[in-house]
Amino acid sequence: MFLFVIPYVSAQVMIGIAYNALVLHSDSWWRSLIGAVVGATLLFFAKIPLERPLRILGKYTTSKFIHLSVRFFMLEEARALKQILNYLIDVVLAFASTYVLRWFFPGAAGKVLLMGTPFGWVVAILFISICIGAYLDFDMLSIVPKGTKISNHD
């Protein structure tokens, strides 16, 4: 939850906020689609460095849902079809994020609000979530196996 779901949703919201705050005429379907493709591409490249901790989490979890969810988003050794489906899901969710945020913050006043604090709050939620997740799952994400003594050799 803290290492995957909340950060993933936060990243999607950040895509929507950034797009709607930066694009002057964001209410066009075509422009929203282009923004979603760009956001999903950036998210695709951001997922690659996160695979190692997620792989460890998926390997040692007892929850079947978490295991399957994490395995779906593993892209490093995935087949092309899985990578394409994963990317398309990101595009659809990024498009939905841009649309929903535009609906919540309509017009010029909405753009002023989006350029202000919401992005900072989402980044704070992302950071706090990852910190909590890392704290709770520290033993699981540890490189040294449990019960192994570490000695210092100079």
Side-chain angles (χ1 to χ4, degrees):
M1 181 76 165
F2 290 108
L3 284 175
F4 182 68
V5 176
I6 294 173
Y8 184 74
V9 170
S10 297
Q12 291 290 352
V13 172
M14 287 167 55
I15 290 169
I17 290 172
Y19 175 75
N20 285 304
L22 296 175
V23 177
L24 186 58
H25 302 288
S26 62
D27 57 349
S28 163
W29 286 90
W30 173 247
R31 291 177 190 209
S32 292
L33 182 62
I34 297 299
V37 168
V38 170
T41 303
L42 293 173
L43 188 59
F44 181 82
F45 291 121
K47 286 180 186 178
I48 294 171
L50 301 175
E51 285 195 23
R52 174 105 170 110
L54 286 176
R55 187 178 309 275
I56 294 169
L57 182 66
K59 183 177 180 182
Y60 293 109
T61 187
T62 57
S63 170
K64 191 72 169 170
F65 175 73
I66 292 174
H67 179 73
L68 292 174
S69 298
V70 168
R71 300 245 335 133
F72 178 74
F73 287 96
M74 291 293 130
L75 301 174
E76 188 177 19
E77 300 168 1
R79 295 183 179 159
L81 179 64
K82 184 178 174 183
Q83 288 179 348
I84 291 169
L85 286 174
N86 194 292
Y87 181 75
L88 289 176
I89 287 172
D90 286 344
V91 169
V92 168
L93 291 175
F95 184 82
S97 175
T98 62
Y99 183 78
V100 168
L101 283 164
R102 189 169 46 252
W103 183 71
F104 274 118
F105 298 98
K111 285 199 182 295
V112 171
L113 287 173
L114 282 174
M115 288 184 219
T117 59
F119 197 82
W121 282 108
V122 174
V123 170
I125 290 168
L126 177 71
F127 180 74
I128 291 168
S129 173
I130 291 172
C131 288
I132 291 171
Y135 175 76
L136 293 176
D137 293 326
F138 182 76
D139 289 337
M140 194 180 307
L141 296 174
S142 177
I143 296 172
V144 179
K146 222 176 197 178
T148 304
K149 289 189 176 190
I150 301 173
S151 63
N152 291 336
H153 295 293
D154 292 325

